[in-house]
Amino acid sequence: MRPFRYRRPAEVAEAVALLDAEPEAAYLAGGTNLVDLMKLGVQRPNLLVDVTRLPLDTVEPLPGGGVRIGANVRNSDLAAHPVIRRDYPVLTRALLAAASGQLRNMATTGGNLLQRTRCGYFQDTSKACNKREPGTGCAARHGQNRDLAVLGWSEHCVATHPSDMAVALVALDAVVEAHAADGPREIPLTHLHREPGDRPEQETTLPRGALITAVRLPPSPLARRSAYHKARDRASFAFATGSVAAALDLSGGVVRDVRLAYGAVAHRPWRAYRAEETLRGQPFTPELAARAADVELAAARPLAHNAFKVPLIRNLTVRALTELAGQP
């Protein structure tokens, strides 16, 4: 492992200033992703800025409804929080479907959003990867791409975002609060992660050195009827091969409002806007759910080994929405 320096700032502004002054520095929170990448030689920061002691570890109700989740709130604590379990069950289910209990005890809200792809070519420094080393190519396009993207990919990168939590948050219209060198800013979570285009190394819209400080969830009666369905190769401690976060509001059997987001299919958590539009105002049936998924997935471009993801996401969409339609 490459030698590095270590700092533990006491304030957010100090942390941001440290990173702004060091182009190769990195924030350290739970370390469940960063430390692995450092061991593999994928990331080689010369300075680790430990943000775990910053006062960003509470879940706070907001005036008028909704909650603010501090960036340092551990995934296990967030999943168990009574307000989250009651008002945003899709988030609890997504968190509990992720990783293992030990990792959830370490992983943080901010770090989860910024975790990097688990594409094997990205993690193997002997292979070509535009995300890790721009301009070298994308070995995954014509290699082992079973777990990679079917939506929104480019010839430069076919990686997927690995987070379960982020998929649920996208469906909940979450807003990210961040602090950059020029001050605080807010970013809708749907705009936080980028599609790869010709710059796959630029994974988010955050400026260099910006620190996520919180995630804000708006008040949403819709979210109380919500669910997360995840397909994976083993029953636990496995990344998704496909996932669906859904929230549904029915009135007299008609879809009054709906939220849908897909995971493990794109470079970012994928908000299924076309599927939502197909569903709204229509009497709900499983057939309608399938048709809505087909509308969204019409843009899919499967790779050599992952065409199964298209019917998988379709089936997960039908299962999630049908489950929610049957709730009182």
Side-chain angles (χ1 to χ4, degrees):
M1 184 181 288
R2 178 184 179 185
F4 57 86
R5 292 174 290 124
Y6 173 87
R7 295 285 299 274
R8 180 184 285 171
E11 298 179 351
V12 168
E14 181 187 359
V16 172
L18 284 168
L19 226 73
D20 188 55
E22 294 275 0
E24 295 184 44
Y27 291 124
L28 173 69
T32 57
N33 186 203
L34 175 62
V35 172
D36 285 344
L37 294 178
M38 290 174 66
K39 291 177 180 178
L40 292 169
V42 174
Q43 285 189 237
R44 304 178 67 188
N46 63 356
L47 170 65
L48 291 184
V49 179
D50 185 343
V51 296
T52 56
R53 299 296 177 90
L54 298 178
L56 306 172
D57 59 353
T58 58
V59 179
E60 303 170 339
L62 294 171
V67 295
R68 176 180 287 110
I69 303 163
N72 283 343
V73 174
R74 305 290 175 170
N75 287 180
S76 54
D77 293 335
L78 184 59
H81 195 282
V83 172
I84 300 302
R85 293 178 64 185
R86 183 192 68 207
D87 293 345
Y88 307 96
V90 63
L91 181 52
T92 288
R93 289 179 60 167
L95 287 163
L96 293 177
S100 65
Q102 295 93 330
L103 286 171
R104 291 194 295 270
N105 287 340
M106 290 295 295
T108 64
T109 299
N112 190 302
L113 290 176
L114 298 179
Q115 63 182 300
R116 309 195 70 188
T117 184
R118 263 59 180 190
C119 173
Y121 296 94
F122 170 74
Q123 294 182 323
D124 184 347
T125 57
S126 70
K127 300 296 192 295
C129 175
N130 288 319
K131 181 181 288 295
R132 188 186 65 249
E133 191 175 348
T136 59
C138 176
R141 279 191 63 198
H142 304 293
Q144 293 298 318
N145 46 45
R146 174 182 180 273
D147 296 325
L148 302 180
V150 296
L151 289 167
W153 57 266
S154 74
E155 63 182 86
H156 300 283
C157 183
V158 296
T160 53
H161 194 273
S163 173
D164 292 289
M165 184 192 76
V167 181
L169 290 175
V170 161
L172 293 171
D173 296 312
V175 175
V176 170
E177 298 179 4
H179 196 98
D182 59 355
R185 62 187 62 203
E186 296 183 352
I187 305 169
L189 190 54
T190 50
H191 296 158
L192 177 66
H193 300 97
R194 298 177 68 256
E195 290 184 22
D198 60 358
R199 298 296 302 273
E201 76 279 8
Q202 294 183 358
E203 297 174 332
T204 75
T205 57
L206 288 171
R208 166 68 195 168
L211 176 67
I212 292 178
T213 55
V215 175
R216 193 170 69 246
L217 297 181
S220 175
L222 174 72
R224 286 202 171 193
R225 184 183 284 186
S226 60
Y228 186 74
H229 284 259
K230 175 179 178 177
R232 48 189 164 182
D233 289 334
R234 52 182 189 269
S236 66
F237 196 24
F239 293 101
T241 53
S243 65
V244 172
L248 184 66
D249 180 15
L250 292 179
S251 177
V254 174
V255 179
R256 184 159 54 185
D257 203 0
V258 64
R259 298 289 187 275
L260 278 173
Y262 297 156
V265 294
H267 200 252
R268 57 181 173 85
W270 189 270
R271 180 70 178 267
Y273 289 111
R274 288 181 287 270
E276 292 175 1
E277 279 301 308
T278 303
L279 288 159
R280 286 192 186 99
Q282 302 299 315
F284 179 81
T285 63
E287 292 75 20
L288 175 66
R291 186 163 72 251
D294 287 341
V295 169
E296 189 69 41
L297 295 166
R301 294 180 295 150
L303 299 163
H305 306 294
N306 68 0
F308 74 94
K309 287 195 175 192
V310 176
L312 174 64
I313 293 295
R314 183 182 193 265
N315 293 339
L316 289 174
T317 301
V318 174
R319 181 186 299 177
L321 290 173
T322 302
E323 171 194 304
L324 295 174
Q327 292 183 10

